[in-house]
Amino acid sequence: MTKKSLSGGTNPDLSMLTLSMAEAQNPFADPLRFERRVPECAIVIFGANGDLTKRKLLPALYQLAADRRLPANFAVLGTSRTQLSDDAFRSKMREEVKQFLESGDFDDDLWSRFAANLHYIAGDMNDPALYQAICAKLSEIGQRNVLFYLSTQPSYYGTAADHIGAAGLGETAPGAWRRIVVEKPFGHDLASAKALNDRLHASFPEEEIYRIDHYLGKETVQNILAFRFGNGIFEPLWNRRYVNHVQITAAEAIGVEGRGAYYQEAGALRDMIQNHLLQVLATVAMEPAAVFEPHAVRDERAKLLRSIKIIQPQEVAKFAVAGQYKGFREEPGVDPTAQTDTFAAVTFYVDNWRWAGVPFFVRSGKKLPKRSTDIAIQFNSAPLKLFGSADGDLSKRPNLLILRIQPEEGISLRFFSKQPGSGMHLRPVSMDFKYGASFGGRTPSAYETLLVDAMVGDATLYTRQDMVEASWRVVEPILENWQSQKFHFPNYDAGTWGPEAANQMLADTGHQWRNS
């Protein structure tokens, strides 16, 4: 493969071996192993003393350093209200990374080199002086490419964007870039999502705004595109002629884990379905893009979201179910009369040629029997019952394709096979693919993948403004209906699969949830 040398010419023999001395000595970069090169840049993390930074962001950056994927001159500049020196911040992050590193061993020597690039500024996000200090620090460390990461309470997103713009931090020099990463939730409803987008656009163009949804960074979610569009045997079946229905489940065994005050203002429909699971649904059901590049792929996801049938107020009771587990109202910070949904199940229909009439059953909940996120695509039964089955009617055990997102990523296909012995008796068997067993080695975390994408400028796995607004339009009629009534909560026991009404919703259409 021909590559351009660093001098600008083309040399097919030297390929990527032509490196500057600085790159050759850089312990954090190995250009021979990876096609995409992360440019030199700084990551400014707002809320650097919070949970997301210690649990996900710093461990992901450390792992990228361990994999030699970071550039020679990279920097992390953390900021929050807590007064810390650079050394105190480094020491604190060292303990956090050791605790939350998902894979691999912690290396003290590597950490010493990595930590030399960590810096810290204490300040109030409402104070313009903080942004002037950030500007001065970026000049000091000599970085023109900057990724601003908003790891704060959502109420600060607009404030931070306003001040970044006022301080001129969003302005780029020739050949440089400035980008901003925004964590979910992207607004509390459609109106607030539009207002937030307006404030972000005042400081950054849309192409430099990266709305992060970590579900889209998971390997199985990415693999949906490869599975569908890279294999000729599946795509012809991916439509209403062969697919009976689709189930998307995101189940958590835990409760709110001390986040009751926040969660009671959100709920399962807002917290999971509006963003994560609708993006997963869009990835499962979208049309193939003409080319695999960010705008084309996101255009198709956005088109699918706009094709989801909007549930009318009089239909909400038929197509949506809210639940709350027993004990939620006793959680710290939760109102004893809270009407918060800790479980939500919705039946969606996609009004397009491919999926007309095919139901997409989506559910998410806390205090369910196990932690599991998967997509189950059930195919139509064979039209003629030629064979008997050892375990009942074959039509009750149809072909099933299961895409497992967590805890163990992989794909399973269920089909029928003849049992050994005389007679033609069939039984269901599974063909399983597991990432760990098939590829070996370590699977990158979602945040590793998404951080690299943001630094190289690849927005394929990030959510665009029109996609955010389309997903709010889908769930807003349900939210408005639920807010106008009083539920008899709680309505399901911890350790069960939610309220009975969720089972009845599927039974009314002749289906049942897959709970195994």
Side-chain angles (χ1 to χ4, degrees):
M1 180 170 58
T2 302
K3 296 283 185 179
K4 289 187 177 180
S5 71
L6 297 180
S7 62
T10 300
N11 189 326
D13 298 320
L14 291 179
S15 186
M16 295 184 70
L17 292 173
T18 308
L19 304 174
S20 68
M21 184 63 69
E23 287 177 307
Q25 295 175 349
N26 172 25
F28 297 144
D30 187 351
L32 296 177
R33 294 173 58 200
F34 300 100
E35 182 177 348
R36 296 195 304 175
R37 299 289 303 278
V38 176
E40 295 181 352
C41 61
I43 303 175
V44 179
I45 301 177
F46 292 89
N49 205 39
D51 274 357
L52 181 65
T53 300
K54 70 182 183 182
R55 291 175 180 269
K56 298 296 182 182
L57 301 184
L58 259 296
L61 289 169
Y62 171 83
Q63 191 63 63
L64 289 172
D67 289 345
R68 306 178 76 181
R69 297 208 63 182
L70 294 180
N73 295 323
F74 86 102
V76 175
L77 175 57
T79 179
S80 72
R81 291 183 178 181
T82 306
Q83 292 291 331
L84 291 171
S85 65
D86 283 357
D87 287 340
F89 178 63
R90 292 163 183 163
S91 178
K92 185 176 187 298
M93 288 301 107
R94 180 181 186 276
E95 297 308 311
E96 306 290 12
V97 170
K98 286 182 69 175
Q99 179 180 354
F100 294 109
L101 193 63
E102 294 181 4
S103 58
D105 296 325
F106 185 85
D107 186 309
D108 287 309
D109 290 337
L110 174 64
W111 175 261
S112 296
R113 299 193 298 273
F114 176 77
N117 298 290
L118 303 184
H119 309 274
Y120 185 84
I121 296 175
D124 187 329
M125 292 180 66
N126 292 302
D127 185 356
L130 170 63
Y131 302 87
Q132 296 301 326
I134 291 172
C135 187
K137 190 66 175 180
L138 291 173
S139 296
E140 178 186 327
I141 61 181
Q143 286 296 349
R144 301 192 310 159
N145 298 328
V146 183
L147 184 67
F148 298 99
Y149 201 113
L150 302 186
S151 176
T152 68
Q153 294 179 7
S155 57
Y156 284 111
Y157 293 168
T159 298
D162 293 344
H163 283 291
I164 288 171
L169 286 167
E171 298 173 5
T172 57
W177 51 261
R178 299 285 170 102
R179 300 178 185 131
I180 188 167
V181 177
V182 185
E183 278 281 344
K184 77 166 186 74
F186 314 118
H188 191 71
D189 52 22
L190 179 58
S192 60
K194 288 182 174 180
L196 174 60
N197 282 326
D198 288 343
R199 295 177 77 176
L200 293 171
H201 288 151
S203 300
F204 293 89
E206 175 62 29
E207 59 268 22
E208 303 296 358
I209 300 172
Y210 286 64
R211 300 171 188 83
I212 190 168
D213 182 340
H214 72 274
Y215 264 59
L216 293 181
K218 292 179 179 293
E219 287 294 332
T220 301
V221 178
Q222 296 181 68
N223 204 38
I224 293 169
L225 300 177
F227 186 81
R228 283 186 60 191
F229 305 131
N231 297 292
I233 63 174
F234 292 110
E235 177 56 24
L237 308 179
W238 218 267
N239 56 63
R240 58 186 168 82
R241 292 184 61 193
Y242 301 100
V243 174
N244 183 274
H245 71 274
V246 178
Q247 294 184 25
I248 301 175
T249 296
E252 296 183 75
I254 60 173
V256 293
E257 299 292 288
R259 297 170 63 242
Y262 158 75
Y263 193 82
Q264 75 170 353
E265 300 300 324
L269 185 63
R270 276 193 177 95
D271 190 51
M272 289 295 296
I273 294 180
Q274 183 273 327
N275 43 72
H276 295 322
L277 300 189
L278 278 177
Q279 292 299 324
V280 171
L281 189 159
T283 305
V284 169
M286 62 182 270
E287 295 297 317
V291 292
F292 190 71
E293 61 91 21
H295 286 299
V297 173
R298 296 200 296 175
D299 282 348
E300 295 302 333
R301 287 214 308 267
K303 187 190 303 180
L304 191 284
L305 288 169
R306 291 194 297 270
S307 299
I308 295 175
K309 182 180 178 181
I310 303 299
I311 299 174
Q312 299 303 308
Q314 66 274 17
E315 300 174 318
V316 171
K318 179 181 178 181
F319 294 120
V321 174
Q324 184 187 102
Y325 67 81
K326 294 178 181 178
F328 172 71
R329 293 176 173 181
E330 285 74 51
E331 298 276 7
V334 175
D335 185 334
T337 63
Q339 288 283 297
T340 305
D341 52 299
T342 64
F343 174 96
V346 185
T347 302
F348 294 114
Y349 287 91
V350 178
D351 280 345
N352 66 13
W353 191 271
R354 180 187 291 265
W355 296 112
V358 176
F360 287 76
F361 302 115
V362 180
R363 64 176 171 172
S364 178
K366 293 185 177 293
K367 289 285 188 177
L368 301 185
K370 62 180 180 179
R371 174 177 176 261
S372 176
T373 302
D374 60 36
I375 305 152
I377 299 166
Q378 182 171 311
F379 294 94
N380 291 321
S381 299
L384 184 62
K385 298 178 182 178
L386 292 177
F387 310 115
S389 172
D391 59 355
D393 188 352
L394 293 181
S395 64
K396 295 180 180 179
R397 302 292 299 276
N399 299 137
L400 195 65
L401 178 66
I402 302 168
L403 308 173
R404 296 186 303 274
I405 298 175
Q406 62 183 17
E408 185 177 40
E409 295 184 297
I411 299 173
S412 178
L413 177 64
R414 186 176 76 190
F415 56 95
F416 287 101
S417 177
K418 177 189 175 296
Q419 287 195 124
S422 61
M424 183 61 74
H425 296 288
L426 310 187
R427 62 169 292 179
V429 295
S430 292
M431 187 179 295
D432 292 313
F433 153 69
K434 297 178 181 178
Y435 269 90
S438 296
F439 292 108
R442 187 186 66 85
T443 299
S445 72
Y447 276 94
E448 289 173 55
T449 298
L450 293 169
L451 283 169
V452 168
D453 284 354
M455 288 186 281
V456 301
D458 183 348
T460 305
L461 300 177
Y462 284 84
T463 306
R464 204 168 58 192
Q465 175 190 359
D466 57 338
M467 297 159 67
V468 170
E469 295 182 6
S471 62
W472 274 119
R473 289 189 183 95
V474 169
V475 303
E476 198 157 66
I478 306 172
L479 289 169
E480 291 174 353
N481 179 274
W482 287 359
Q483 289 166 359
S484 68
Q485 61 179 296
K486 184 175 178 62
F487 291 104
H488 296 292
F489 282 161
N491 61 358
Y492 71 95
D493 292 318
T496 66
W497 283 103
E500 180 56 33
N503 297 326
Q504 189 60 46
M505 182 178 75
L506 267 69
D508 289 344
T509 60
H511 302 102
Q512 63 182 17
W513 289 109
R514 173 189 163 271
N515 290 330
S516 60

